[in-house]
């Protein structure tokens, strides 16, 4: 898809579709009003009759009766114009290209000013990219088509360029997560990272199993031991800040497939477990976006990549693992593997003395029980830092909710044989006991854990996105990194 901006003053353009807006009150966008006024008032009449609504994300594709100019109009509901924000702009951008992805089109023109102000235009363009891609990676005949050319009337070109960077980073992230585990195994992820580091100018270091053993990452290695695929730790270093400024660390859970191990998952719960590396994919996608945007921060990424499988050599219940930090873990459930991997990865991140640290992980089903499928759980040891993440999420329109981290929750992960165990007592508060486990490995560093188990991978589609991977929290992370760099 090629993105272009043209001046709305220029002549009516021949195109496959002109995209215009209407709000819930029936108020037409400026371009929509022009179409209405030069064509006998049909849009106003259609609204009055109830044939088109202005409900947010409603779409009506109407073929034109006229020769020349647009072959069709896509009328998109804005919703309540007063409640427009960055999140709405993102979804509107996405619903447009997704609605038009059913077949190939050459040229689609979007009346940008019908939809958003300049403040939200970057998000609008980001959405326009994510609307073009879905989970149909291996269908002989594609399901999602992007227009060859997407033209924004009066679009700001530099914002369109940065929106494109974000949209492409989200689509890459989504693709990695949607890739099945037979294609995307730990080393395949590392290859992607190496290629992207070369392309966009950030350092990539890959620790293979030999190096991981030398580094005493026994916990990470134990989780991956049952797999035929070698485990790896991928370190990413993007330097956009002062050379002496301490980095922001982003840590990602990268379980390329989670069978549950010996505590094996029932088939229905295992179906989507190729998505269990979404944290790592989001870290990589965020660093690619930050590098391409030139965010003025040093941002280091740490992705722990393993496959959790069953074999004669896999880790067992009752095993005690010595983590890189020295803390020992008793394994009481091999399906609580993410926290075991992250124990070592968080410790590796601490080596670089980050100013602060965020980890992203599809960590617990319990987080879905607590918050539902669309809300990420936040867990932190630092009120100021979690506020910063929460504010960024609110601005971009990604729902998050902080859960408590009271000390007494930690009683639940005390072990009789080791320092801690990898399971709470029973399942109550499971998202929190998982977070308390992680907290054992972050020291005093300001830290936020984001449990993305719900939002990272969707069972069903929405008007503005396909089912499958979503790249949840990527926009939030970029917004947060940008606002840190600006302050
Ligand atoms: N990867 C899963 C969590 C998950 C569940 C992610 C649903 C995405 C959707 C994680 O490794 C897991 O299995 N967690 C267990 C922990 C339990 C055994 C303490 C869970 O949530 O059941
Ligand atoms: Mn698991
Ligand atoms: Zn898992």
């Amino acid at each position: 898809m090629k993105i272009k901006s043209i001046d709305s003053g220029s002549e009516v353009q021949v195109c496959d579709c002109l995209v215009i807006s209407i709000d819930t009150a029936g108020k037409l966008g400026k371009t929509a009003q022009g179409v209405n006024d030069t064509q006998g008032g049909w849009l106003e009449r259609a609204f009055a009759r109830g044939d088109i609504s202005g409900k947010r994300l409603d779409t009506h594709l109407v073929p034109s009766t006229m020769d020349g100019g647009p072959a069709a109009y896509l009328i998109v509901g804005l919703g309540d114009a007063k409640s427009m924000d960055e999140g709405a702009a993102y979804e509107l951008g996405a619903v447009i290209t997704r609605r038009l992805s059913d077949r190939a089109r050459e040229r689609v023109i979007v009346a940008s000013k019908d939809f958003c102000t300049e403040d939200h235009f970057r998000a609008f363009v980001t959405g326009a990219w994510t609307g073009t891609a879905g989970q149909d990676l291996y269908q002989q005949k594609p399901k999602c088509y992007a227009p060859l050319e997407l033209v924004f009337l009066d679009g700001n070109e530099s914002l369109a360029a940065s929106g494109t960077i974000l949209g492409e980073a989200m689509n890459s992230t989504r693709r990695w997560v949607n890739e099945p585990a037979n294609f995307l195994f730990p080393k395949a992820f590392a290859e992607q990272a190496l290629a992207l580091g070369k392309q966009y100018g950030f350092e990539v270091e890959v620790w293979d199993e030999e190096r991981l053993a030398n580094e005493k990452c026994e916990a990470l290695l134990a989780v991956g031991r049952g797999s035929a695929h070698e485990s790896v730790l991928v370190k990413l270093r993007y330097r956009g800040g002062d050379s002496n400024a301490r980095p922001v660390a982003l840590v990602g859970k990268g379980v390329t497939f989670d069978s549950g191990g010996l505590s094996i998952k029932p088939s229905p719960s295992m179906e989507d477990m190729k998505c269990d590396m979404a944290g790592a994919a989001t870290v990589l996608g965020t660093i690619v976006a930050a590098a391409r945007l030139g965010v003025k921060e040093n941002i280091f990424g740490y992705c722990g990549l393993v496959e959790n499988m069953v074999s004669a050599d896999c880790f067992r219940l009752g095993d005690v693992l010595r983590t890189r930090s020295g803390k020992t873990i008793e394994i009481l459930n091999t399906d609580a593997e993410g926290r075991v991997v992250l124990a070592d990865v968080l410790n590796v991140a601490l080596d670089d003395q980050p100013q602060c640290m965020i980890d992203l992980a599809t960590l617990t089903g319990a987080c879905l029980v607590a918050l539902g499928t669309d809300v990420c759980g936040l867990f932190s040891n630092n009120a100021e830092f979690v506020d910063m993440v929460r504010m960024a999420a609110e601005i971009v329109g990604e729902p998050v909710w902080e859960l408590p981290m009271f000390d007494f929750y930690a009683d639940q992960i005390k072990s009789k044989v080791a320092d801690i165990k990898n399971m709470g007592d029973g399942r109550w508060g499971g998202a929190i006991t998982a977070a308390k486990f992680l907290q054992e490995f972050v020291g005093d560093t300001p830290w936020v854990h984001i449990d993305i188990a719900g939002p990272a991978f969707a069972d069903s589609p929405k008007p503005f996105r396909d089912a499958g991977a979503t790249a949840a929290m990527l926009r939030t992370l970029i917004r947060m990194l940008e606002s840190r760099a600006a302050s």
Side-chain angles (χ1 to χ4, degrees), residues 253 258 265 273 276 333 335 337 339 362-365 423:
K253 170 177 172 181
D258 181 12
K265 288 182 185 291
M273 279 303 134
D276 214 16
N333 191 316
D335 198 13
E337 84 299 339
R339 66 198 76 180
T362 45
L363 202 66
T364 66
M423 265 276 288

Side-chain angles (χ1 to χ4, degrees), residues 3 41 44 78 88 117 129 192 203 282 284 358 395 400 418 483:
I3 296 272
E44 268 165 2
L78 261 195
T117 57
W129 280 96
Q192 293 279 323
E203 298 157 45
T282 308
L284 179 56
I358 296 180
I395 289 169
V400 298
S483 64

Side-chain angles (χ1 to χ4, degrees), residues 146-418:
L148 286 184
E149 197 175 82
L150 187 65
V151 181
F152 292 104
L153 286 184
D154 298 324
N156 173 314
E157 296 209 16
S158 91
L159 293 173
S162 52
T164 297
I165 288 171
L166 283 166
E168 287 181 343
M170 287 182 72
N171 283 348
S172 300
T173 301
R174 292 169 63 213
R175 203 189 65 241
W176 299 322
V177 176
N178 282 330
E179 281 286 355
N182 56 325
F183 294 134
L184 200 132
F185 42 88
K187 284 216 154 142
F189 183 95
E191 292 300 325
Q192 293 279 323
L194 285 163
L196 288 162
K198 252 198 208 110
Q199 189 175 356
Y200 295 120
F202 55 86
E203 298 157 45
V204 180
E205 186 181 327
V206 178
W207 287 5
D208 61 9
E209 288 193 345
E210 194 187 325
R211 177 71 193 269
L212 284 163
N214 290 335
E215 294 283 347
K216 302 197 174 346
C217 293
E218 198 178 289
L220 185 155
L221 283 168
V223 176
R225 209 171 60 217
S227 169
H229 291 291
E230 243 194 84
S231 305
V232 294
L233 190 149
V234 177
K235 285 199 195 186
L236 312 163
R237 292 196 188 87
Y238 163 66
R239 298 177 200 273
D242 291 341
S243 56
N244 56 354
R246 290 162 68 194
V248 174
L250 303 179
V251 172
K253 170 177 172 181
V255 177
T256 57
F257 184 70
D258 181 12
S259 72
L262 286 173
S263 314
I264 198 162
K265 288 182 185 291
S267 219
S269 313
M270 210 189 288
E271 243 170 56
D272 288 336
M273 279 303 134
K274 67 176 184 185
C275 82
D276 214 16
M277 37 59 75
T282 308
V283 169
L284 179 56
T286 300
I287 286 185
V288 168
R292 293 183 69 192
L293 291 170
V295 175
K296 292 192 167 21
E297 270 280 1
N298 296 329
I299 308 164
F300 290 6
Y302 309 82
C303 301
L305 292 138
V306 304
E307 188 182 45
N308 186 21
M309 296 293 273
V310 180
S311 84
D313 194 33
C314 60
F315 73 141
R316 316 164 190 79
L317 287 78
D319 282 2
V320 174
L321 308 174
R322 190 178 301 279
T323 63
R324 188 171 188 263
S325 72
K327 263 188 195 148
T328 55
I329 314 176
E330 182 187 15
I331 299 299
L332 290 178
N333 191 316
T334 60
D335 198 13
E337 84 299 339
R339 66 198 76 180
V340 179
V341 172
L342 289 174
D344 279 342
V345 185
L346 288 165
N347 183 262
V348 171
L350 290 184
D351 284 358
D352 294 318
Q353 293 175 294
Q355 47 175 312
C356 58
M357 183 147 73
I358 296 180
D359 78 76
L360 293 114
T362 45
L363 202 66
T364 66
C367 197
L368 276 133
V369 174
L371 299 175
T373 54
D374 292 329
V375 183
C376 290
L378 298 184
F379 309 81
S380 181
N381 60 359
N382 185 295
E384 212 180 310
F385 187 40
V386 73
D387 274 347
M388 195 158 193
V389 175
R390 200 196 340 255
M391 250 145 68
E394 198 182 318
I395 289 169
V396 304
E398 296 197 278
V400 298
W401 200 260
E402 188 180 2
L403 292 171
M405 289 283 272
F406 302 120
D407 287 339
F408 60 74
Y409 285 109
D411 297 345
Q412 282 202 42
I413 54 169
K414 284 182 179 146
S415 161
K416 293 194 192 78
V417 283

